[in-house]
Amino acid sequence: MQQASATHIKTWIDGMNQYNATPEFGTTRIVFTKPELENRKYVKEEFQKLNMEVTEDAVGNIYATLKGEDSSLAPVWTGSHIDTVPNAGKFDGMAGVVCGMEAVRLIQECHLPHKRDITVVVYTSEEPTRYKMSCIGSRAMSGDLILEGTKQICDLDGRSLYDKLQELNYDLTQFDAIKKQPGDVYAAVELHIEQNNQLEKAGLPIGIVKRICAPSNYVVEVTGVQSHAGGTSMEERKDAYAAACEMALELEKIVKAHKSDFNTATIGSVRVVPDAMNVIPGKCIFTVDIRDCDMENKQIVIQAFKEAFSGIAKRRGVELAIEEKNNDLPLTCNPSILKMLEESCEELKTAYMPIISGPYHDSLFVGRFAPTAMLFVPSKNGISHSPEEWTDYEQIAKGADVLLHTICRLANCMQPLN
Ligand code: HGY
Ligand code: MN
Ligand code: MN
């Protein structure tokens, strides 16, 4: 079987990267902004050049299908996302979509037989950047997000996702049809960059993902007393930001004290009001992002941080409000697909290691309705969500080879995947 081409992969990655709000500093393609909409158009055109049937659902998930011998069989899915965080790299998500394209190109070039349809999916809004909700497209597929919910999800301008979808002429009467039932999809395999440095440290080209950590996200609002920085004594003040800082350090202690096979806690966004040099902050709003591959351990960490935060608030005489945005279940990947990924690596004489994904991916939600697994290619210095994000095109091509072999196995398999 012919090898995947690093040149084709680079051409598509560069093609997508033409659409970028911050070419001077990394890649920024926030969902439903001009560059992201232009990139959607580019990707659909490339799918059509690959003789694929392209459709889009009511939340903007794009489905590009290469027909198999028997389209009555449940299809094999691959794909990922094309939206980014601000000032990101150019591989997070894009690598998975492009490797799906390359696999489809090679299947046709080498006339590889496949009974099942093969669909490359581009999931809407995997990043929580605009709507503070991750994996919007795949959540809608899993039923975790219903049409009513899109009215409550708003961007920083207070505009709801619902309004945006209407403005973009998506047919919201079809929103319920996005939901997939078990059996609708035979198997789903997503290729992604690792976004950590385990593969690089081990000197290995492929990671086979056994478990995917899930996020639990909160917006915390601390309300103290806004007052004069020089007038109010240290004893009298109720400093919202100082309280938030104590909470941040306590959160770090809690997550380090409750280790699972992989768990993290991050405060990534902080806002201080009124944000002035000589005013004691009256308000501090910050986000909490907790990841864990073990739901039980995650619940312990969540319970502990909520108790700790309220203790700090009480002692400092400030008010506390914690809003839960999502509290998602981790995923254990499908053993049959994992075995096929290992067999593909062995067939290709490509070394690999089992790995846990700290980052979440759309596969976390696809795994709710279909047998799902992922494979990783290395990230240079483990960096991602940064202009420094890098993976060699040859490394991505190696991943595409493993993905191709696995997709072909699945597309000709008639056994149930347990
Ligand atoms: O944050 C994540 O885990 C993913 O990259 N959106
Ligand atoms: Mn990401
Ligand atoms: Mn991603």
Side-chain angles (χ1 to χ4, degrees):
M1 200 186 283
Q2 202 194 16
Q3 286 194 315
S5 143
T7 314
H8 272 99
I9 285 169
K10 180 176 184 317
T11 306
W12 277 318
I13 294 272
D14 290 345
M16 290 196 197
N17 222 37
Q18 300 168 77
Y19 312 104
N20 175 8
T22 57
E24 72 290 347
F25 186 44
T27 300
T28 302
R29 236 186 338 263
I30 311 294
V31 67
F32 296 150
T33 59
K34 186 166 175 294
E36 201 255 359
L37 293 168
E38 288 169 335
N39 192 27
R40 281 169 169 269
K41 192 165 162 292
Y42 166 78
V43 162
K44 284 192 255 188
E45 284 160 5
E46 291 305 307
F47 282 139
Q48 273 143 6
K49 286 182 203 163
L50 287 167
N51 314 309
M52 300 174 88
E53 207 177 274
V54 183
T55 59
E56 204 169 339
D57 67 22
V59 77
N61 291 310
I62 298 168
Y63 305 85
T65 298
L66 181 72
K67 288 289 178 201
E69 291 157 33
D70 179 356
S71 289
S72 68
L73 295 168
V76 173
W77 276 14
T78 186
S80 193
H81 62 97
I82 57 172
D83 66 305
T84 73
V85 297
N87 306 110
K90 55 185 182 179
F91 300 101
D92 172 3
M94 279 62 83
V97 174
V98 163
C99 285
M101 290 166 147
E102 178 62 356
V104 164
R105 185 185 71 82
L106 287 166
I107 284 169
Q108 295 179 85
E109 191 151 294
C110 310
H111 308 291
L112 302 176
H114 55 102
K115 290 192 180 63
R116 298 176 184 276
D117 288 0
I118 293 165
T119 298
V120 182
V121 184
V122 177
Y123 298 96
T124 290
S125 194
E126 190 270 355
E127 299 293 2
T129 312
R130 180 166 188 173
Y131 292 106
K132 302 291 168 269
M133 172 66 74
S134 56
C135 301
I136 285 178
S138 48
R139 278 181 200 275
M141 290 176 181
S142 71
D144 193 78
L145 173 66
I146 57 173
L147 180 61
E148 205 43 41
T150 65
K151 295 174 183 165
Q152 272 88 46
I153 299 176
C154 295
D155 60 20
L156 283 183
D157 303 333
R159 292 218 49 211
S160 72
L161 172 62
Y162 181 89
D163 287 351
K164 192 65 190 171
L165 290 170
Q166 278 201 311
E167 179 199 309
L168 293 170
N169 297 321
Y170 286 108
D171 178 0
L172 297 185
T173 63
Q174 296 307 309
F175 196 92
D176 295 352
I178 300 171
K179 191 170 183 315
K180 302 292 179 280
Q181 300 303 330
D184 285 351
V185 177
Y186 178 66
V189 193
E190 178 178 5
L191 179 141
H192 204 283
I193 54 170
E194 182 198 346
Q195 301 178 303
N196 195 346
N197 61 0
Q198 296 176 67
L199 290 175
E200 188 176 62
K201 276 200 297 197
L204 292 174
I206 298 289
I208 294 183
V209 179
K210 304 283 183 182
R211 297 157 79 184
I212 306 174
C213 291
S216 297
N217 295 90
Y218 301 85
V219 176
V220 181
E221 188 162 308
V222 180
T223 307
V225 176
Q226 179 174 325
S227 182
H228 195 295
T232 316
S233 73
M234 291 312 286
E235 292 67 29
E236 297 294 308
R237 60 185 56 196
K238 295 188 187 314
D239 183 334
Y241 178 62
C245 290
E246 192 175 341
M247 290 172 187
L249 293 175
E250 194 54 32
L251 173 67
E252 193 181 47
K253 259 196 250 162
I254 289 168
V255 79
K256 284 181 174 176
H258 296 86
K259 298 297 287 166
S260 69
D261 289 341
F262 197 96
N263 64 323
T264 62
T266 311
I267 294 178
S269 153
V270 182
R271 248 176 338 120
V272 172
V273 178
D275 191 10
M277 184 186 282
N278 59 350
V279 180
I280 302 169
K283 226 180 238 310
C284 180
I285 302 113
F286 62 89
T287 58
V288 169
D289 174 304
I290 294 173
R291 309 288 175 97
D292 207 323
C293 55
D294 174 331
M295 194 60 180
E296 225 174 285
N297 190 63
K298 188 162 70 159
Q299 297 298 49
I300 293 169
V301 168
I302 291 166
Q303 187 56 31
F305 98 72
K306 285 181 177 175
E307 283 167 9
F309 283 20
S310 44
I312 293 166
K314 210 151 145 233
R315 182 162 37 76
R316 285 175 166 266
V318 296
E319 277 158 49
L320 173 70
I322 300 177
E323 183 199 354
E324 179 172 288
K325 303 297 275 183
N326 53 282
N327 180 13
D328 299 312
L329 271 172
L331 182 76
T332 299
C333 293
N334 177 276
S336 307
I337 306 177
L338 292 174
K339 192 161 171 305
M340 288 188 193
L341 280 164
E342 287 164 3
E343 287 163 358
S344 300
C345 285
E346 280 141 25
E347 205 173 82
L348 288 158
K349 299 190 179 25
T350 300
Y352 63 89
M353 64 184 269
I355 207 162
I356 292 176
S357 176
Y360 55 73
H361 302 283
D362 289 300
S363 293
L364 188 64
F365 294 93
V366 175
R368 302 244 182 108
F369 57 83
T372 299
M374 291 186 75
L375 68 154
F376 280 169
V377 290
S379 290
K380 191 158 177 279
N381 304 323
I383 301 236
S384 180
H385 282 187
S386 151
E388 304 309 309
E389 179 182 280
W390 183 263
T391 303
D392 292 345
Y393 294 105
E394 294 67 25
Q395 290 175 314
I396 300 175
K398 205 174 259 283
D401 283 329
V402 175
L403 181 70
L404 170 65
H405 281 240
T406 308
I407 286 175
C408 289
R409 275 181 155 76
L410 289 164
N412 291 302
C413 180
M414 295 299 127
Q415 307 303 320
L417 295 171
N418 36 36

